[in-house]
Amino acid sequence: APKGVWCPACGLTALAPAAQRDVLIALAKQSILSKLRLQDRPNITQMTSRGALLTALRRTRVQHVDAAISPGMPRDGGIPRLRPGIGLQEYEILSFAESGSSTSHRVHLHFRFAQELAGNTEILQATLYLFWAVPGPGTHPVTVRLLQPDPMGPNMTVASETQLEVQRPGWATLDVGQAVQSLFGQGSQRLTVELEVLEDWGSPLLASHRDSHWPFVAAQARARMPHRVQRR
Amino acid sequence: GIDCSGDSRMCCRKEFFVDFKEIGWEDWIIQPEGYHMNYCVGLCPLHMAGIPGLAASFHTAVLNLIKANNADAAVDSCCVPTQRRPLSLLYYDRDGNIVKTDIPDMIVDACGCT
């Protein structure tokens, strides 16, 4: 900085503008990463398709339609504006399925949750969204099992099993909050869902709409408050 | 609060916008486009310290009493945020999940003297 110019707040010699900018940007990065509990910025290997993201945002909003979002949904397919948050740090997570092993009548789907979230948050709600393809009229039974790693060995144990009757193509939801919370409790970060149908039905998911009707889990979580000791 | 302008030396709010595209973060932060990392800077001479409306608070009232009764006992006064709001982020985490969170008190809207 020119001689004799000093920082008005601390009286030290002011930084040259370029150096000051670098310091502030480094501070901004560190501040955001630390508040997101990230060591470094994530390296994105696979991006969720815009179609799947928009569909998921619409589905998760359809329960509590928010006037600020639905008319404001930009026609250019952009992501709706975020609503101003409240004081406590809460998270909404959309985890899209990774395909696991599958046969003609059984499909495995995996959902991962990052360590930063699994270790420091409590799950308030988690819902599995599935879009059914139906081969034809009538009712088609589907068994949905939530599997979790067996602490005693390499196998998976069934955490819960649900029988669904599918009559027409469309979205179905299943509450998986307890399963995700118990996974986090065991230090695991991966939820496996097994869908089983009768032999002659084939894959129960609408694979042809893979990009915008792909299964996902929408979870709401809240940062665990650090243990506070109240002293009077 | 007062926004810094020109060569004002008094306590004010300095705007500073970090564009995520400029720092190469636009691939993992979906929204917003940047972060208003405003900060407070400037002097808080005693006659400005604790003027109600700048950082009106209980401490200000106590300080005013000390000043009124004993000018040299008054402590220094600092230029601090008096109004802040959350930073809402929609981002990819390292597993490719989409996360939305509101980080409280990240954006300074106003500054004042304690």
Side-chain angles (χ1 to χ4, degrees):
Chain A
K3 198 82 185 120
V5 174
W6 65 89
C7 164
C10 61
L12 298 177
T13 308
L15 283 171
Q20 192 178 68
R21 179 171 179 72
D22 295 345
V23 168
L24 286 169
I25 285 181
L27 204 59
K29 287 181 174 180
Q30 176 207 348
S31 174
I32 289 175
L33 290 175
S34 69
K35 294 289 175 59
L36 296 181
R37 298 189 177 96
L38 296 174
Q39 295 294 324
D40 200 347
R41 51 142 294 165
N43 284 315
I44 310 303
T45 49
Q46 92 269 5
M47 302 280 258
T48 305
S49 79
R50 199 172 192 81
L53 175 55
L54 279 174
T55 305
L57 285 173
R58 279 196 192 96
R59 294 309 308 173
T60 49
R61 290 288 183 272
V62 81
Q63 276 84 0
H64 39 278
V65 167
D66 176 328
I69 287 190
S70 49
M73 178 70 82
R75 268 170 296 290
D76 62 1
I79 309 291
R81 299 297 308 161
L82 299 168
R83 280 169 296 167
I86 50 175
L88 202 63
Q89 184 142 5
E90 298 198 359
Y91 298 86
E92 291 182 48
I93 306 151
L94 292 177
S95 182
F96 291 86
E98 286 171 18
S99 299
S101 61
S102 62
T103 63
S104 61
H105 65 289
R106 186 174 296 171
V107 173
H108 276 179
L109 301 170
H110 301 301
F111 299 89
R112 283 179 199 284
F113 296 91
Q115 168 56 35
E116 295 82 28
L117 291 175
N120 300 294
T121 56
E122 56 176 314
I123 292 292
L124 303 173
Q125 180 185 340
T127 307
L128 169 63
Y129 287 78
L130 295 163
F131 191 90
W132 296 124
V134 177
T139 300
H140 304 271
V142 181
T143 305
V144 183
R145 292 187 190 90
L146 303 183
L147 309 178
Q148 57 189 26
D150 180 347
M152 310 311 283
N155 302 321
M156 303 288 277
T157 57
V158 177
S160 79
E161 179 171 303
T162 308
Q163 298 295 337
L164 296 179
E165 300 287 336
V166 179
Q167 277 120 6
R168 70 183 75 80
W171 285 101
T173 59
L174 192 64
D175 181 358
V176 296
Q178 207 156 1
V180 175
Q181 187 61 61
S182 76
L183 273 180
F184 284 8
Q186 288 176 25
S188 168
Q189 287 116 48
R190 191 173 86 159
L191 170 71
T192 297
V193 175
E194 180 181 83
L195 306 176
E196 185 169 16
V197 295
L198 297 179
E199 185 69 35
D200 59 352
W201 183 6
S203 165
L205 297 172
L206 201 55
S208 58
H209 283 56
R210 178 186 176 90
D211 68 328
S212 58
H213 289 72
W214 193 238
F216 64 94
V217 168
Q220 287 191 339
R222 177 169 43 212
R224 280 189 203 287
M225 297 311 285
H227 182 58
R228 288 180 194 276
V229 179
Q230 299 285 350
R231 238 184 264 282
R232 287 191 182 285
Chain B
I2 301 161
D3 278 353
C4 299
S5 59
D7 54 358
S8 108
R9 307 265 310 279
M10 292 304 157
C11 176
C12 56
R13 179 186 72 145
K14 189 97 172 162
E15 296 239 346
F16 184 77
F17 182 69
V18 180
D19 185 316
F20 291 141
K21 194 181 281 279
E22 265 182 38
I23 62 173
W25 276 15
E26 81 286 359
D27 60 330
W28 72 280
I29 296 185
I30 303 165
Q31 264 209 8
E33 291 79 10
Y35 165 35
H36 289 275
M37 193 180 97
N38 310 323
Y39 58 94
C40 301
V41 69
L43 301 174
C44 280
L46 280 190
H47 68 275
M48 270 182 70
I51 298 173
L54 273 178
S57 72
F58 170 71
H59 300 288
T60 307
V62 170
L63 266 183
N64 286 343
L65 281 174
I66 293 174
K67 276 185 279 183
N69 297 317
N70 177 354
D72 58 351
V75 294
D76 265 352
S77 168
C78 305
C79 181
V80 295
T82 54
Q83 202 174 322
R84 292 186 291 185
R85 62 188 150 95
L87 170 63
S88 291
L89 283 179
L90 187 67
Y91 65 95
Y92 284 105
D93 72 9
R94 59 194 161 124
D95 294 306
N97 296 332
I98 313 272
V99 184
K100 173 190 174 285
T101 190
D102 302 318
I103 307 175
D105 295 338
M106 281 288 273
I107 299 173
V108 174
D109 275 337
C111 302
C113 294
T114 58

